[in-house]
Amino acid sequence: MSAPEKVPDTLLIAGKRYASRLLVGTGKYRDFAETRAAIDASGAQIVTVAIRRVNIGQNANEPNLLDSLPPSQFTILPNTAGCYNAKDAVRTLRLARELLDGRVLVKLEVLADEATLFPNMPETLVAAKELVADGFEVMVYCSDDPIQAKALEEIGCVAVMPLASLIGSGMGILNPWNLEIILDRAKVPVLVDAGIGTASDAAIAMELGCDGVLMNTAIAKAKNPVLMASAMKKAVEAGREAFLAGRMPKKIYQASPSSPTEGKIS
Amino acid sequence: MPVLQINGKPQQIPPNITVENLIATLHLEGKRFAIELNGEIVPKNRHAATALSEGDKLEVVIAVGGG
């Protein structure tokens, strides 16, 4: 039997194909060397960054994140972390577009509350509309509410990214049922963003049928970030393959032996 | 000497300077950054032609680590 033909399985976002379904953040690392080493181990091609005021009077030789992660090698995805209304989020991403020479792929996140960092969905919808009208390709952090996710898709967002659990909590996927409803209805890629704690969480997200996973803290705050990045790469790949393979049906009350029942010696 | 608000803080600058001149004094030449002047983005190709004056509000941003 000849080996089955290998069809490349890629993540398609806004018309561009990515071999990796793992997207990673660049925050909370010890230094840029560790950031880069972890990102290389993760295999991620899309990396998120935040936009912040430059430290005026800083050392002229102070290293810059984008020197470690050149936009020629990675798809830099600027975020709106820390924005609590649509106006600030849109303003931030317009600055990001200028900073990145006109690149328009962005991550929109409008937060509602400092304690939970839960998305502010009314403001997220307002910002998404304005950004899409201005030509941005918007990947959007959102609640795991199928109705809101659909509304964002209808506005023209290129990917919806519901939270698995609170940002930075590492609590894993708290509501797989809602994610399944979102996945069932969505026509754009669905990525789990926020809440992943360890490799099995990422695998579960992919087994559910998510198109990708975005994480930061799970890698950056592992005891060994580079090793965890490698684990996440494998988990996302394994989860994706398991989803494509199609899992066996669950049999809740009936065991089924794996060995033959014929030919036993007694 | 005119006083500007740069990233929320008052700062004296020499008279008759442009955004491009200011960037040089901030050691940002050749780096990736973006400039907003009084709420409007100043594209890179306008830095040399954009003069700064008393009371201007300037934001200078870069990319930093984030999720």
Side-chain angles (χ1 to χ4, degrees):
Chain A
M1 199 178 88
S2 63
E5 197 182 333
K6 191 100 176 164
V7 181
D9 172 50
T10 52
L11 171 61
L12 181 63
I13 295 176
K16 202 174 161 201
R17 293 189 180 280
Y18 301 89
S20 172
R21 292 175 179 274
L22 173 58
L23 288 67
V24 297
T26 56
K28 299 181 179 173
Y29 287 97
R30 265 200 312 249
D31 51 37
F32 292 152
E34 186 184 67
T35 311
R36 178 62 197 252
I39 288 169
D40 284 344
S42 77
Q45 295 165 294
I46 303 177
V47 301
T48 64
V49 302
I51 303 298
R52 290 290 180 270
R53 286 171 162 173
V54 72
N55 184 12
I56 298 291
Q58 72 176 351
N59 184 330
N61 298 317
E62 191 168 310
N64 183 303
L65 175 66
L66 295 183
D67 295 336
S68 299
L69 299 168
S72 55
Q73 290 174 40
F74 295 92
T75 296
I76 306 294
L77 188 68
N79 70 23
T80 60
C83 292
Y84 287 82
N85 58 61
K87 188 169 160 276
D88 289 348
V90 171
R91 185 181 173 202
T92 299
L93 291 177
R94 286 186 175 138
L95 280 163
R97 178 172 60 184
E98 164 64 17
L99 191 148
L100 292 167
D101 305 324
R103 290 179 182 84
V104 291
L105 187 69
V106 295
K107 171 180 163 179
L108 172 65
E109 58 178 302
V110 186
L111 305 174
D113 173 84
E114 281 183 29
T116 63
L117 301 179
F118 222 82
N120 179 331
M121 291 311 300
E123 289 291 307
T124 300
L125 291 160
V126 171
K129 262 183 215 159
E130 198 170 336
L131 290 165
V132 169
D134 196 13
F136 284 93
E137 294 166 350
V138 181
M139 302 176 70
V140 55
Y141 168 64
C142 58
S143 56
D144 63 352
D145 173 337
I147 308 304
Q148 301 299 318
K150 197 70 191 171
L152 289 164
E153 176 184 307
E154 283 165 359
I155 285 169
C157 292
V158 298
V160 293
M161 306 200 291
L163 76 174
S165 49
L166 301 185
I167 293 174
S169 71
M171 291 290 288
I173 297 169
L174 299 187
N175 195 337
W177 314 105
N178 272 24
L179 287 179
E180 288 201 43
I181 301 170
I182 293 173
L183 286 161
D184 183 54
R185 297 181 175 191
K187 294 191 181 74
V188 294
V190 177
L191 291 85
V192 157
D193 180 3
I196 297 295
T198 189
S200 53
D201 297 332
I204 290 168
M206 296 309 294
E207 286 170 11
L208 288 171
C210 289
D211 297 279
V213 178
L214 198 169
M215 65 181 76
N216 189 155
T217 313
I219 296 175
K221 287 296 162 196
K223 280 185 186 153
N224 183 336
V226 177
L227 189 56
M228 185 58 88
S230 166
M232 291 299 185
K233 176 180 197 278
K234 291 167 185 160
V236 167
E237 288 171 359
R240 177 65 182 174
E241 286 188 5
F243 170 72
L244 293 174
R247 62 154 297 145
M248 62 163 280
K250 286 181 181 173
K251 295 182 195 144
I252 297 176
Y253 299 116
Q254 182 61 58
S256 165
S258 299
S259 307
T261 50
E262 301 294 312
K264 292 189 287 184
I265 56 169
S266 63
Chain B
M1 295 226 292
V3 176
L4 269 61
Q5 291 282 329
I6 304 179
N7 287 354
K9 286 182 189 149
Q11 187 149 332
Q12 264 194 347
I13 58 157
N16 305 317
I17 74 165
T18 64
V19 169
E20 189 176 67
N21 301 146
L22 182 74
I23 286 159
T25 69
L26 298 175
H27 306 297
L28 285 169
E29 296 152 300
K31 301 206 170 168
R32 279 190 180 270
F33 59 91
I35 300 275
E36 190 191 78
L37 178 60
N38 301 324
E40 297 287 329
I41 286 171
V42 185
K44 285 174 195 67
N45 61 11
R46 299 280 309 150
H47 288 182
T50 304
L52 295 169
S53 52
E54 176 71 30
D56 278 346
K57 287 191 172 69
L58 200 76
E59 294 289 341
V60 188
V61 300
I62 57 169
V64 301

